């Protein structure tokens, strides 16, 4: 499907995310929208005072903010069992314009990132709607 195709908003994946509305609405207009990979600061889980700039797939809106899932170019297929035991679940999403080197990426399915639109450094790319819907369907299994 082409960027800009819209899907109906979906209910929140679980009781821990009241106010979460999942939707696909990419508009490559310089502002972050659901269905786009953007670059923003993501805090570390073990020390939220620290973090790093990384790509995040925006999957919807959470109250007045955006909701996203972080991406990485690290291959977790080799340690999938160990990651799963630690409660971390990953899915391959392929390559895209969000990574200048076009490295294969994975998305973390179990950690919802709250993103303020003003904290987004840049828009990377819109993902295909079918990929977006598959990622969201898998993430629903893990998000609280």
């Amino acid at each position: 499907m082409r960027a800009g195709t819209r899907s109906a908003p979906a209910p929140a994946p679980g009781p821990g995310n009241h106010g979460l509305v999942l939707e696909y609405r990419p508009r490559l207009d310089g502002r972050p929208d659901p269905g786009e990979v953007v670059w923003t600061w993501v805090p570390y889980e073990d020390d939220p005072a620290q973090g790093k700039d990384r790509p995040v797939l925006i999957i919807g809106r959470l109250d007045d903010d955006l909701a996203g899932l972080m991406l990485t170019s690290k291959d977790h297929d080799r340690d999938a069992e160990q990651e799963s035991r630690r409660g971390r679940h990953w899915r391959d999403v392929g390559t895209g314009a969000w990574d200048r080197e076009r490295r294969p990426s994975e998305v973390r399915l179990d950690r919802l990132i709250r993103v303020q639109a003003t904290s987004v450094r840049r828009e990377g790319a819109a993902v295909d709607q079918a990929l977006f819907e598959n990622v969201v369907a898998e993430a629903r299994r893990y998000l609280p």
Side-chain angles (χ1 to χ4, degrees), residues 5 9 14 18 40 64 78 87 93 128 134:
T5 303
H18 297 290
T40 189
D64 292 331
R78 291 175 275 140
V93 292
D128 175 81
N134 287 332

Side-chain angles (χ1 to χ4, degrees), residues 24-99:
Y24 183 79
R25 290 183 181 251
R27 292 177 297 261
L28 296 177
D29 57 3
R31 292 186 306 258
D33 302 297
E36 297 173 6
V37 176
V38 301
W39 282 79
T40 189
W41 187 83
V42 175
Y44 294 137
E45 283 181 286
D46 57 345
D47 184 358
Q50 295 185 38
K52 71 186 240 180
D53 199 47
R54 66 167 54 248
V56 173
L57 171 60
I58 302 298
I59 61 169
R61 300 192 183 279
L62 187 54
D63 303 318
D64 292 331
D65 294 324
L66 299 161
L69 302 171
M70 66 183 211
L71 276 71
T72 184
S73 58
K74 182 178 177 186
D75 183 6
H76 289 284
D77 290 342
R78 291 175 275 140
D79 62 351
E81 211 172 285
Q82 177 184 0
E83 285 289 291
S84 183
R85 281 194 306 272
R86 292 182 175 163
R88 296 187 295 247
H89 303 278
W90 301 87
R91 181 196 192 284
D92 293 330
V93 292
T95 62
W98 59 83
D99 184 287

